[in-house]
Amino acid sequence: MRPQPWSFGGMTYLERLMTYRHEIDGLRAVAVLSVILSHAGFGWMPGGFAGVDAFFVISGFLITGIISRDLVQGRFTFRNFYARRARRILPALFFMLLSVSILAWLTLSPSQIQEISGSVFFSVLSLSNLYFIDFVNYFAPSAEYVMLLHTWSLGVEEQFYLLFPLIAFIVYRNLGKSGFWAVVLILLVVSFAISEWGLRNEPRANYFFSPSRFWEILLGAVAALWCSSHDTKGNDPLAAMGLAALCLTFFIYDDSILFPSYYALAPTIGTVLVLTYARGSTMTAKLLQYRPLRSVGLISFSAYLWHQPVFVFARLDGYETSEPLTAVALIAVILLLSA
């Protein structure tokens, strides 16, 4: 049998891609810690919100890798894909929503409970980004008191998960791998164009609008397809450059930066470089494989789910979350709940 053109050393590139990479856990930790520290109110990390953009790229990279592998091997099924996504997302999400609902019912006023109930309802439907789009400015001071504001990003990802597998399956079946490449690139360009239009015409809504965000997830998809077609090896300068670009945005961006836009290229392309080149014995990979960092990365999804409710309940009780001792205590609570 003639070997497939993407085989290497007895293992396909896709199989190599899907080999567990501990450095991605470290990258998740960097992303979630930046979000948590930023939302705690620390003025020295005003751009930590860009950690969400890193999560989008990571999700696109991993999801596309899984879908591509299963399509190549002829074993992709929608049932298996959505079952994996449900097991990954729903138990942690529903437990957080239930806990917040009970605590709100016990401690908050009827008007506050009514506000939270709307957020809970739309979070369950994976539509919370569209719920917040009409009346929340993500960067306004009042956003610090919106209990489930952070679930907007879950809505974007879940809407992507709903659409992308269907597109991938149809395109791959009819146009093959090259067609899949072309469609992903076209969708990326269209989504980026929508984002740029929204920046100039509807900047507040643009932050939450799924089509304005899909290009970030699709950047991860492009990275996954690139790695599936090339013998990608570790590259220290490129990996370090990517991690530096991502982390720099946490400190130099602030709420005056209009997101998403071309400004989001720095954290997203930085994340792509890390995913693509932080491999093997590179210093960046070793740094991200540091065990405490990986431990945070393993609970990063739950940490993201819990951080906003913990901070909001603390603020409603009169605590200043940016006060160092208070912040340390609250972050410990977040990590404990996540674990």
Side-chain angles (χ1 to χ4, degrees), residues 115-152:
E115 292 177 4
I116 293 174
S117 65
S119 303
V120 170
F121 177 76
F122 283 95
S123 295
V124 171
L125 297 178
S126 302
L127 295 173
S128 56
N129 60 314
L130 302 180
Y131 173 69
F132 293 122
I133 201 170
D134 286 330
F135 65 92
V136 175
N137 181 344
Y138 184 85
F139 295 107
S142 58
E144 294 183 349
Y145 293 89
V146 181
M147 187 74 67
L148 297 175
L149 178 59
H150 63 312
T151 60
W152 75 269

Side-chain angles (χ1 to χ4, degrees), residues 8 11 15 29 34 36 38 80 87 97 109 123 133 136 157 163 189 203 207 228 240 280 305 319 329:
F8 178 80
M11 182 184 295
E15 290 169 336
S34 71
I36 291 173
S38 177
N80 288 341
R87 288 194 297 268
L97 293 176
S109 68
S123 295
I133 201 170
V136 175
E157 287 200 12
L163 297 172
V189 171
Y207 193 90
S228 74
L305 287 177
Y319 291 97

